[in-house]
């Protein structure tokens, strides 16, 4: 059964009725990431994509309030007119799961914490959400946070909703901090780097006073899948810098001095941003049907983690803190990757696999007993009858 409410009141009524009947709801917005996470076995699909539109935009205050189902492409177009942007560069993962480009909504981005390569500079999605409205599992409409950016004491509910995959509430409205768009963007490419050297370069750049907004490493096999690059050389380290035109020139000069012994190439704005969109969106996997994993590890351990993982196809983002890997979704690989995260810290996520594999394996990093207890307590506080996206993240939650 499919429900398509047109406002928050209708969402609340639908959730309240489901709670009373003991039926479950699968929450859908743009629907581009329905196959990310464990399969949801629900009685009804609650599609909120019509809860859309910009409610208030104050460019001088760098604050934007929209209905949760508003397409990100629409938001970016409006912000672009004022030379502003969503600073975390929302990732468009839709094509990874067979959906068209530019279908993602802000609710889906927030619910999955889908941030792109700018995370190294701007932080994750949750660092940009300052307020929200949502309907909890009892059908109550709740407002959290506000339009003023300030230090938060107590439980920061808007941040809690980020990465919760719709298991705590149905988002209806979001207030975001937006950022000025840089006057100039440039990319510096360090050519012919081995994996170990390239990842070392990224860590080195992260310590320099260039405030890089993108730090990625592409081995030759990833370059070969790019629609932006020519696949020459063994691998490349990519550095994106932005800001005012004079500031970018200074940053590039510093980087050229720092890596005077390396072969360098300069990419200007369009190619730089297009390449980092490919990286953040996981576009190198979009035309394949392979299983995809993501490992988040300390940047200092990225190369060791790659050696232990043994994946034939991979690339690195976030200065090596994020590793995209092409590897089978089976028990052996899952155990191998969990061993890596236990050894080095971080977490492993099964990004894409068949429905059967996602039902059988732990999609997200298994929680310690203490953390699992906290997760269950939070779920009970927001959705005591477990009717919202049941099992989407962890079995029985």
């Amino acid at each position: 059964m499919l429900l398509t409410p047109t406002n928050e009141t209708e969402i609340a009524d639908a959730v309240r009725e489901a709670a009373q009947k003991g039926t479950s709801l699968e929450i859908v917005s743009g629907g581009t990431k329905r196959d990310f996470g464990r399969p949801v076995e629900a009685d009804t699909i609650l599609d909120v994509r019509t809860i859309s539109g910009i409610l208030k935009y104050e460019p001088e205050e760098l604050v934007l309030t929209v209905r949760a189902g508003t397409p990100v492409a629409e938001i970016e177009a409006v912000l672009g007119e004022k030379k502003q942007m969503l600073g975390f560069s929302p990732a468009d993962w839709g094509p990874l799961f067979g959906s068209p480009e530019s279908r993602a909504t802000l609710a889906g981005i927030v619910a999955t914490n889908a941030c792109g390569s700018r995370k190294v500079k701007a932080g994750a999605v949750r660092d940009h959400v300052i307020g929200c409205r949502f309907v909890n599992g009892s059908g109550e409409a709740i407002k959290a946070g506000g339009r003023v950016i300030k230090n938060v004491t107590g439980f920061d509910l808007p941040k809690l909703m980020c990465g919760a995959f719709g298991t705590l509430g149905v988002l209806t409205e979001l207030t975001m901090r937006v950022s000025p768009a840089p006057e100039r963007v440039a990319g510096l490419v360090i050519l012919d780097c081995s994996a170990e050297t390239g990842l070392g370069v990224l860590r080195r750049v992260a310590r320099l006073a260039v405030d890089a907004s993108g730090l990625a490493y592409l081995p030759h096999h990833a370059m070969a899948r790019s629609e932006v690059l020519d696949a020459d050389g063994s691998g490349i380290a990519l550095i994106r810098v932005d800001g005012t035109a004079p500031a970018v020139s200074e940053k590039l000069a510093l980087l050229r001095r720092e890596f005077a012994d390396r072969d360098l190439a300069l990419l200007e704005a369009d190619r730089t941003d297009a390449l980092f969109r490919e990286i953040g969106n996981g576009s190198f996997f979009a035309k394949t049907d392979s299983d995809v994993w993501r490992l988040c590890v300390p940047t200092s351990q990225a190369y060791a983690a790659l050696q232990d993982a043994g994946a034939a196809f991979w690339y690195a983002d976030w200065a090596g803190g994020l590793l995209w890997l092409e590897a089978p979704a089976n028990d052996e690989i899952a155990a191998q990757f969990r061993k890596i995260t236990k050894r080095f810290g971080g977490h492993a996520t099964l990004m894409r696999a068949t429905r059967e594999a996602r039902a059988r394996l732990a999609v997200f990093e298994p929680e310690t007993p203490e953390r699992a207890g906290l997760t269950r307590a939070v779920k009970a506080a927001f959705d005591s009858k477990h009717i919202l996206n049941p099992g989407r993240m962890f079995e029985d939650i």
Side-chain angles (χ1 to χ4, degrees):
M1 182 168 142
L2 173 66
L3 296 177
T4 56
T6 59
N7 55 51
E8 185 181 79
T9 299
E10 291 180 6
I11 291 175
D13 289 343
V15 174
R16 196 177 304 115
E17 182 177 355
Q20 291 170 351
K21 292 181 176 179
T23 55
S24 55
L25 299 170
E26 179 183 359
I27 316 303
V28 173
S29 187
T32 62
K33 294 178 282 295
R34 286 186 70 192
D35 291 331
F36 180 23
R38 300 184 72 257
V40 176
E41 299 289 350
D43 301 296
T44 302
I45 296 173
L46 184 67
D47 189 333
V48 300
R49 75 183 70 193
T50 59
I51 315 298
S52 177
I54 294 174
L55 297 173
K56 191 171 185 180
Y57 176 32
E58 299 173 281
E60 67 283 356
E61 300 294 334
L62 298 174
V63 175
L64 171 77
T65 299
V66 302
R67 293 188 178 93
T70 308
V72 172
E74 178 182 329
I75 293 170
E76 290 180 326
V78 171
L79 294 178
E81 293 176 359
K82 297 294 184 180
K83 294 182 169 56
Q84 294 181 350
M85 64 182 187
L86 294 170
F88 57 88
S89 63
D92 186 359
W93 291 334
L96 273 176
F97 303 104
S99 294
E101 293 182 354
S102 304
R103 284 275 301 274
T105 66
L106 190 58
I109 293 291
V110 170
T112 57
N113 202 31
C115 53
S117 294
R118 285 188 182 271
K119 182 178 183 291
V120 293
K121 177 177 180 177
V125 180
R126 58 171 50 90
D127 299 306
H128 298 256
V129 180
I130 59 176
C132 68
R133 290 182 64 91
F134 64 93
V135 175
N136 69 9
S138 299
E140 301 168 319
I142 295 172
K143 179 181 179 181
R147 298 186 60 80
V148 179
I149 302 171
K150 59 184 178 180
N151 292 329
V152 176
T153 57
F155 219 32
D156 193 344
L157 295 186
K159 287 182 171 53
L160 188 66
M161 303 301 288
C162 294
F165 282 75
T167 60
L168 302 180
V170 185
L171 287 166
T172 60
E173 185 178 301
L174 288 157
T175 298
M176 309 293 293
R177 172 169 60 89
V178 302
S179 304
E183 178 183 318
R184 182 187 174 194
V185 176
L188 192 68
V189 182
I190 300 181
L191 303 166
D192 250 351
C193 290
S194 67
E196 186 173 17
T197 299
L199 292 168
V201 162
L202 299 182
R203 294 196 302 275
R204 190 167 153 190
V205 174
R207 295 192 292 268
L208 297 176
V210 296
D211 200 19
S213 62
L215 291 168
Y217 177 81
L218 299 182
H220 174 82
H221 55 249
M223 296 165 61
R225 293 189 187 179
S226 172
E227 296 184 1
V228 180
L229 290 172
D230 296 322
D232 293 329
S234 59
I236 57 174
L238 300 166
I239 306 161
R240 179 173 56 191
V241 291
D242 53 33
T244 64
V248 170
S249 294
E250 290 179 9
K251 293 174 182 180
L252 290 173
L254 190 159
L255 289 167
R256 286 191 178 103
R257 290 193 300 271
E258 184 75 15
F259 299 104
D261 59 333
R262 306 290 312 189
D263 290 331
L264 307 175
L266 182 67
L267 294 177
E268 280 300 334
D270 290 347
R271 290 188 73 201
T272 299
D273 282 341
L275 181 53
F276 275 99
R277 276 196 299 274
E278 283 188 329
I279 292 166
N281 293 347
S283 298
F284 306 128
F285 304 102
K287 294 181 180 180
T288 74
D289 58 1
S290 56
D291 298 332
V292 179
W293 292 79
R294 297 193 344 150
L295 265 62
C296 289
V297 296
T299 57
S300 60
Q301 303 298 330
Y303 183 66
L306 281 169
Q307 288 183 304
D308 285 0
F313 185 97
W314 62 273
Y315 68 92
D317 201 359
W318 304 349
L322 173 62
L323 306 174
W324 289 78
L325 307 164
E326 194 170 84
N330 59 39
D331 294 304
E332 180 182 355
I333 293 295
Q336 181 179 345
F337 288 174
R338 305 302 180 197
K339 185 178 179 180
I340 291 171
T341 56
K342 183 177 181 180
R343 176 183 173 192
F344 299 120
H347 55 272
T349 302
L350 178 54
M351 185 77 180
R352 186 179 73 183
T354 64
R355 182 182 181 89
E356 292 73 22
R358 290 181 290 114
R360 183 172 52 82
L361 299 172
V363 171
F364 302 99
E365 189 74 19
E367 297 184 309
T368 64
E370 295 77 15
R371 185 180 175 89
L374 179 60
T375 297
R376 291 181 181 279
V378 171
K379 174 69 171 177
F382 284 82
D383 180 23
S384 60
K385 295 188 177 180
H386 290 211
I387 66 169
L388 303 178
N389 277 359
R392 179 73 183 269
M393 297 190 73
F394 302 102
E395 192 174 3
D396 301 326
I397 293 181

